[in-house]
Amino acid sequence: MIPFVREMSFAYGRCDRVSPMIRRVVARNPGPFTYTGTGAHIVGRGEVAVVDPGPDDPAQIEAVLAATAGERITHVFVTHSHLDHSPAARPLAEATGAVIYAGGARCRPSGGDDRLEAGDDLAFRPDVALEDGQLFRGPGWTIEAVATPGHTSNHYAFALHEENALFPGDCVMGWSTSVVSPPDGDMGLYMRSLERIRARRYGALFPAHGPPIRRVDPFLEAYIAHRRHRERQVLEALEAAGPASVRQIVERLYADHDRRLLPAACHSVLAHLLDLFRRGLVDASGAPDMSALWRPSFMRHAA
Ligand SMILES: [Zn+2]
């Protein structure tokens, strides 16, 4: 079981200090993908960085400006171009002269299911496209860009060296698992990103939604084990039942779940199948997509 953390003390528009160097302002965009809303994190004092400013909401932009009154925002970092993270970046940069950094624009829609994602911000363009490992410095703070694709292809996390802390965006969330929806979402890359974050042994994670994760190691261990367990279940379902569609696998694995969860489950199972397909563990009839019939690969059985 994942030791989810969901207790959160906040008020919309209020600035809360969540660590010695980090303050947070939560936007009023609660929902099924955002929990209580998007937390914009402010790093440092005097000359500050903002991570994930939030949705296109003048109240959120005003709240971040009010929280940093008398200071200067020099850097705006965006984890990925979903509508609950990136749209406030440009107005905030225009109001302050800050530079916007992110993992590159995504000009074509993800093709994912709108009911499963907060939606693509196709208009988003960073001023500077990040490279993995890039370092940024302000007075008393050092932020490192950490490529963490999977939830989206352009997803970055940001490490604050002075506190051994990470802003994982939507890659790791304390209140929920993350949506990995093909074709832009990629389960193989996502699992590598989780392993990468775990290997770095951060002391605390500050996700874009929900409260901080302060017991990082056990949380990530369970978070990763949950996905590996799901992957095994998908393989076992194919081995037991023979060729099956995504829908049939989902009917089997999620038989006693709320029917409303089934569309999301289909995308998640497809993400696992595509990863297994690339690793040579399953085959698909025709194009490997939602309409294919899937079966365990011959190689696997011969081995
Ligand atoms: Zn989000």
Side-chain angles (χ1 to χ4, degrees):
M1 290 295 281
I2 300 171
F4 286 115
V5 283
R6 298 195 169 111
E7 280 298 308
M8 182 154 160
S9 147
F10 78 102
Y12 291 119
R14 187 177 82 193
C15 184
D16 290 311
R17 208 174 77 141
V18 292
S19 86
M21 296 177 65
I22 304 170
R23 291 167 279 168
R24 182 190 64 205
V25 178
V26 178
R28 194 185 291 270
N29 62 334
F33 314 111
T34 59
Y35 193 40
T36 57
T38 305
H41 289 95
I42 301 165
V43 179
R45 285 279 173 188
E47 288 182 15
V48 305
V50 174
V51 181
D52 277 351
D56 178 19
D57 174 7
Q60 169 70 357
I61 295 156
E62 277 309 312
V64 172
L65 288 173
T68 54
E71 304 178 277
R72 197 160 78 85
I73 300 173
T74 54
H75 298 65
V76 174
F77 296 107
V78 175
T79 59
H80 64 296
S81 53
H82 273 164
L83 286 170
D84 54 327
H85 294 256
S86 48
R90 185 56 60 193
L92 199 59
E94 278 170 2
T96 60
V99 176
I100 301 171
Y101 301 88
R106 236 182 41 231
C107 307
R108 67 191 161 81
S110 65
D113 190 321
D114 278 349
R115 290 165 300 169
L116 309 179
E117 303 266 11
D120 293 315
D121 180 4
L122 295 177
F124 177 68
R125 301 284 180 279
D127 297 317
V128 178
L130 292 167
E131 280 171 44
D132 187 36
Q134 230 175 325
L135 292 175
F136 302 89
R137 289 193 175 84
W141 56 262
T142 312
I143 286 179
E144 178 187 353
V146 183
T148 43
H151 173 66
T152 65
S153 54
N154 65 356
H155 195 288
Y156 266 80
F158 298 95
L160 173 60
H161 283 188
E162 286 76 8
E163 290 193 356
N164 190 32
L166 184 77
F167 302 99
D170 284 0
C171 185
V172 183
M173 295 185 286
W175 74 283
S176 168
T177 54
S178 182
V179 173
V180 179
S181 180
D184 191 61
D186 183 310
M187 189 63 78
L189 293 178
Y190 180 70
M191 294 307 292
R192 253 178 277 165
S193 293
L194 288 183
E195 295 286 3
R196 193 169 181 217
I197 291 173
R198 173 159 73 167
R200 291 180 164 223
R201 312 293 298 262
Y202 292 106
L205 307 180
F206 296 87
H209 308 287
I213 299 163
R214 310 225 185 235
R215 298 189 62 230
V216 177
D217 284 351
F219 187 89
L220 283 178
E221 193 175 316
Y223 214 62
I224 290 168
H226 165 81
R227 297 283 180 172
R228 294 278 176 233
H229 176 67
R230 187 61 86 210
E231 177 186 282
R232 263 196 316 280
Q233 285 184 314
V234 169
L235 264 180
E236 283 165 11
L238 286 183
E239 277 163 1
S245 66
V246 167
R247 185 81 204 183
Q248 287 166 326
I249 297 169
V250 166
E251 296 283 355
R252 215 184 150 89
L253 294 188
Y254 295 78
D256 37 356
H257 282 63
D258 184 338
R259 312 275 316 163
R260 287 172 298 181
L261 295 176
L262 295 191
C266 283
H267 283 259
S268 173
V269 165
L270 178 61
H272 277 298
L273 286 166
L274 288 170
D275 181 36
L276 291 165
F277 179 75
R278 286 185 204 116
R279 288 154 55 197
L281 296 173
V282 302
D283 284 328
S285 64
D289 59 20
M290 204 57 101
S291 62
L293 277 183
W294 298 82
R295 61 181 182 280
S297 78
F298 171 72
M299 295 286 291
R300 181 182 160 85
H301 276 245

